PDB file of all heavy atoms in Angstrom:
ATOM      1  N   ILE U 212      67.012 -97.421 -14.931  1.00  0.00           N
ATOM      2  CA  ILE U 212      67.087 -97.157 -16.363  1.00  0.00           C
ATOM      3  C   ILE U 212      67.729 -98.376 -17.009  1.00  0.00           C
ATOM      4  O   ILE U 212      68.912 -98.644 -16.791  1.00  0.00           O
ATOM      5  CB  ILE U 212      67.900 -95.887 -16.662  1.00  0.00           C
ATOM      6  CG1 ILE U 212      67.308 -94.683 -15.924  1.00  0.00           C
ATOM      7  CG2 ILE U 212      67.944 -95.622 -18.158  1.00  0.00           C
ATOM      8  CD1 ILE U 212      68.116 -93.427 -16.065  1.00  0.00           C
ATOM      9  N   ASP U 213      66.958 -99.112 -17.776  1.00  0.00           N
ATOM     10  CA  ASP U 213      67.437-100.343 -18.401  1.00  0.00           C
ATOM     11  C   ASP U 213      67.663-100.123 -19.893  1.00  0.00           C
ATOM     12  O   ASP U 213      66.714 -99.803 -20.631  1.00  0.00           O
ATOM     13  CB  ASP U 213      66.438-101.473 -18.187  1.00  0.00           C
ATOM     14  CG  ASP U 213      66.386-101.923 -16.733  1.00  0.00           C
ATOM     15  OD1 ASP U 213      67.308-101.571 -15.974  1.00  0.00           O
ATOM     16  OD2 ASP U 213      65.413-102.613 -16.359  1.00  0.00           O
ATOM     17  N   ILE U 214      68.900-100.284 -20.322  1.00  0.00           N
ATOM     18  CA  ILE U 214      69.246-100.174 -21.734  1.00  0.00           C
ATOM     19  C   ILE U 214      69.420-101.590 -22.280  1.00  0.00           C
ATOM     20  O   ILE U 214      70.314-102.322 -21.845  1.00  0.00           O
ATOM     21  CB  ILE U 214      70.547 -99.373 -21.926  1.00  0.00           C
ATOM     22  CG1 ILE U 214      70.412 -97.983 -21.295  1.00  0.00           C
ATOM     23  CG2 ILE U 214      70.904 -99.254 -23.404  1.00  0.00           C
ATOM     24  CD1 ILE U 214      71.698 -97.209 -21.241  1.00  0.00           C
ATOM     25  N   HIS U 215      68.581-101.983 -23.190  1.00  0.00           N
ATOM     26  CA  HIS U 215      68.632-103.339 -23.735  1.00  0.00           C
ATOM     27  C   HIS U 215      69.863-103.498 -24.622  1.00  0.00           C
ATOM     28  O   HIS U 215      70.064-102.732 -25.568  1.00  0.00           O
ATOM     29  CB  HIS U 215      67.359-103.642 -24.517  1.00  0.00           C
ATOM     30  CG  HIS U 215      66.158-103.803 -23.641  1.00  0.00           C
ATOM     31  ND1 HIS U 215      65.257-104.824 -23.792  1.00  0.00           N
ATOM     32  CD2 HIS U 215      65.722-103.087 -22.570  1.00  0.00           C
ATOM     33  CE1 HIS U 215      64.306-104.735 -22.875  1.00  0.00           C
ATOM     34  NE2 HIS U 215      64.571-103.673 -22.129  1.00  0.00           N
ATOM     35  N   ILE U 216      70.655-104.492 -24.320  1.00  0.00           N
ATOM     36  CA  ILE U 216      71.913-104.703 -25.034  1.00  0.00           C
ATOM     37  C   ILE U 216      71.932-106.119 -25.631  1.00  0.00           C
ATOM     38  O   ILE U 216      71.056-106.934 -25.344  1.00  0.00           O
ATOM     39  CB  ILE U 216      73.127-104.514 -24.106  1.00  0.00           C
ATOM     40  CG1 ILE U 216      73.040-105.484 -22.900  1.00  0.00           C
ATOM     41  CG2 ILE U 216      73.202-103.072 -23.616  1.00  0.00           C
ATOM     42  CD1 ILE U 216      74.231-105.398 -21.959  1.00  0.00           C
ATOM     43  N   LEU U 222      80.748-103.899 -23.067  1.00  0.00           N
ATOM     44  CA  LEU U 222      80.283-103.382 -21.789  1.00  0.00           C
ATOM     45  C   LEU U 222      81.172-102.275 -21.251  1.00  0.00           C
ATOM     46  O   LEU U 222      80.679-101.297 -20.677  1.00  0.00           O
ATOM     47  CB  LEU U 222      80.186-104.530 -20.775  1.00  0.00           C
ATOM     48  CG  LEU U 222      79.233-105.674 -21.159  1.00  0.00           C
ATOM     49  CD1 LEU U 222      79.239-106.745 -20.075  1.00  0.00           C
ATOM     50  CD2 LEU U 222      77.831-105.152 -21.391  1.00  0.00           C
ATOM     51  N   VAL U 225      80.320 -99.104 -23.008  1.00  0.00           N
ATOM     52  CA  VAL U 225      79.014 -98.594 -22.564  1.00  0.00           C
ATOM     53  C   VAL U 225      79.158 -97.871 -21.234  1.00  0.00           C
ATOM     54  O   VAL U 225      78.611 -96.774 -21.036  1.00  0.00           O
ATOM     55  CB  VAL U 225      78.002 -99.754 -22.442  1.00  0.00           C
ATOM     56  CG1 VAL U 225      76.722 -99.259 -21.781  1.00  0.00           C
ATOM     57  CG2 VAL U 225      77.681-100.333 -23.803  1.00  0.00           C
ATOM     58  N   GLU U 226      79.917 -98.462 -20.320  1.00  0.00           N
ATOM     59  CA  GLU U 226      80.109 -97.841 -19.008  1.00  0.00           C
ATOM     60  C   GLU U 226      80.851 -96.510 -19.127  1.00  0.00           C
ATOM     61  O   GLU U 226      80.510 -95.543 -18.433  1.00  0.00           O
ATOM     62  CB  GLU U 226      80.874 -98.791 -18.091  1.00  0.00           C
ATOM     63  CG  GLU U 226      81.009 -98.282 -16.666  1.00  0.00           C
ATOM     64  CD  GLU U 226      81.589 -99.315 -15.730  1.00  0.00           C
ATOM     65  OE1 GLU U 226      81.729-100.490 -16.146  1.00  0.00           O
ATOM     66  OE2 GLU U 226      81.891 -98.955 -14.582  1.00  0.00           O
ATOM     67  N   ILE U 229      78.350 -93.890 -20.506  1.00  0.00           N
ATOM     68  CA  ILE U 229      77.361 -93.516 -19.481  1.00  0.00           C
ATOM     69  C   ILE U 229      78.007 -92.628 -18.417  1.00  0.00           C
ATOM     70  O   ILE U 229      77.401 -91.647 -17.956  1.00  0.00           O
ATOM     71  CB  ILE U 229      76.754 -94.785 -18.847  1.00  0.00           C
ATOM     72  CG1 ILE U 229      75.835 -95.476 -19.860  1.00  0.00           C
ATOM     73  CG2 ILE U 229      75.975 -94.440 -17.576  1.00  0.00           C
ATOM     74  CD1 ILE U 229      75.235 -96.764 -19.372  1.00  0.00           C
ATOM     75  N   ILE U 249      75.857 -96.924 -11.548  1.00  0.00           N
ATOM     76  CA  ILE U 249      75.960 -97.853 -12.675  1.00  0.00           C
ATOM     77  C   ILE U 249      75.991 -99.275 -12.118  1.00  0.00           C
ATOM     78  O   ILE U 249      76.973 -99.697 -11.505  1.00  0.00           O
ATOM     79  CB  ILE U 249      77.212 -97.568 -13.518  1.00  0.00           C
ATOM     80  CG1 ILE U 249      77.154 -96.140 -14.091  1.00  0.00           C
ATOM     81  CG2 ILE U 249      77.336 -98.589 -14.643  1.00  0.00           C
ATOM     82  CD1 ILE U 249      78.391 -95.743 -14.862  1.00  0.00           C
ATOM     83  N   GLY U 251      75.345-102.116 -14.101  1.00  0.00           N
ATOM     84  CA  GLY U 251      75.979-102.961 -15.100  1.00  0.00           C
ATOM     85  C   GLY U 251      74.984-103.912 -15.734  1.00  0.00           C
ATOM     86  O   GLY U 251      73.765-103.742 -15.639  1.00  0.00           O
ATOM     87  N   PRO U 252      75.485-104.959 -16.388  1.00  0.00           N
ATOM     88  CA  PRO U 252      74.591-105.908 -17.074  1.00  0.00           C
ATOM     89  C   PRO U 252      73.740-106.714 -16.093  1.00  0.00           C
ATOM     90  O   PRO U 252      74.239-107.208 -15.080  1.00  0.00           O
ATOM     91  CB  PRO U 252      75.559-106.813 -17.842  1.00  0.00           C
ATOM     92  CG  PRO U 252      76.852-106.700 -17.111  1.00  0.00           C
ATOM     93  CD  PRO U 252      76.909-105.303 -16.562  1.00  0.00           C
ATOM     94  N   VAL U 253      72.454-106.812 -16.404  1.00  0.00           N
ATOM     95  CA  VAL U 253      71.492-107.525 -15.557  1.00  0.00           C
ATOM     96  C   VAL U 253      70.545-108.293 -16.456  1.00  0.00           C
ATOM     97  O   VAL U 253      70.144-107.811 -17.519  1.00  0.00           O
ATOM     98  CB  VAL U 253      70.698-106.539 -14.668  1.00  0.00           C
ATOM     99  CG1 VAL U 253      69.626-107.272 -13.892  1.00  0.00           C
ATOM    100  CG2 VAL U 253      71.622-105.792 -13.720  1.00  0.00           C
ATOM    101  N   LEU U 260      68.453-109.203 -21.517  1.00  0.00           N
ATOM    102  CA  LEU U 260      69.745-108.697 -21.071  1.00  0.00           C
ATOM    103  C   LEU U 260      69.736-107.177 -21.166  1.00  0.00           C
ATOM    104  O   LEU U 260      69.475-106.608 -22.241  1.00  0.00           O
ATOM    105  CB  LEU U 260      70.873-109.270 -21.935  1.00  0.00           C
ATOM    106  CG  LEU U 260      72.305-108.832 -21.573  1.00  0.00           C
ATOM    107  CD1 LEU U 260      72.655-109.307 -20.163  1.00  0.00           C
ATOM    108  CD2 LEU U 260      73.298-109.374 -22.595  1.00  0.00           C
ATOM    109  N   VAL U 261      69.984-106.489 -20.041  1.00  0.00           N
ATOM    110  CA  VAL U 261      69.976-105.034 -20.014  1.00  0.00           C
ATOM    111  C   VAL U 261      71.213-104.527 -19.286  1.00  0.00           C
ATOM    112  O   VAL U 261      71.821-105.236 -18.478  1.00  0.00           O
ATOM    113  CB  VAL U 261      68.710-104.480 -19.323  1.00  0.00           C
ATOM    114  CG1 VAL U 261      67.456-104.921 -20.055  1.00  0.00           C
ATOM    115  CG2 VAL U 261      68.662-104.908 -17.868  1.00  0.00           C
ATOM    116  N   PHE U 262      71.554-103.270 -19.592  1.00  0.00           N
ATOM    117  CA  PHE U 262      72.602-102.564 -18.846  1.00  0.00           C
ATOM    118  C   PHE U 262      71.876-101.547 -17.975  1.00  0.00           C
ATOM    119  O   PHE U 262      71.246-100.623 -18.477  1.00  0.00           O
ATOM    120  CB  PHE U 262      73.581-101.866 -19.790  1.00  0.00           C
ATOM    121  CG  PHE U 262      74.842-101.400 -19.120  1.00  0.00           C
ATOM    122  CD1 PHE U 262      75.978-102.198 -19.118  1.00  0.00           C
ATOM    123  CD2 PHE U 262      74.899-100.168 -18.471  1.00  0.00           C
ATOM    124  CE1 PHE U 262      77.154-101.780 -18.500  1.00  0.00           C
ATOM    125  CE2 PHE U 262      76.049 -99.756 -17.840  1.00  0.00           C
ATOM    126  CZ  PHE U 262      77.180-100.564 -17.858  1.00  0.00           C
ATOM    127  N   ARG U 263      71.961-101.725 -16.666  1.00  0.00           N
ATOM    128  CA  ARG U 263      71.116-100.963 -15.733  1.00  0.00           C
ATOM    129  C   ARG U 263      71.883 -99.835 -15.050  1.00  0.00           C
ATOM    130  O   ARG U 263      73.024-100.007 -14.620  1.00  0.00           O
ATOM    131  CB  ARG U 263      70.526-101.889 -14.678  1.00  0.00           C
ATOM    132  CG  ARG U 263      69.690-101.208 -13.603  1.00  0.00           C
ATOM    133  CD  ARG U 263      68.916-102.217 -12.788  1.00  0.00           C
ATOM    134  NE  ARG U 263      67.909-102.886 -13.622  1.00  0.00           N
ATOM    135  CZ  ARG U 263      67.145-103.883 -13.191  1.00  0.00           C
ATOM    136  NH1 ARG U 263      67.287-104.343 -11.952  1.00  0.00           N
ATOM    137  NH2 ARG U 263      66.259-104.442 -13.996  1.00  0.00           N
ATOM    138  N   VAL U 264      71.192 -98.684 -14.957  1.00  0.00           N
ATOM    139  CA  VAL U 264      71.668 -97.533 -14.194  1.00  0.00           C
ATOM    140  C   VAL U 264      70.548 -97.128 -13.246  1.00  0.00           C
ATOM    141  O   VAL U 264      69.380 -97.021 -13.664  1.00  0.00           O
ATOM    142  CB  VAL U 264      72.040 -96.356 -15.108  1.00  0.00           C
ATOM    143  CG1 VAL U 264      72.538 -95.172 -14.278  1.00  0.00           C
ATOM    144  CG2 VAL U 264      73.093 -96.773 -16.123  1.00  0.00           C
TER     145      VAL U 264
END
Side-chain angles (χ1 to χ4, degrees):
I212 303 175
D213 290 345
I214 303 171
H215 289 226
I216 58 178
L222 300 180
V225 171
E226 185 172 351
I229 289 177
I249 299 176
V253 175
L260 181 63
V261 299
F262 193 94
R263 177 168 294 175
V264 180

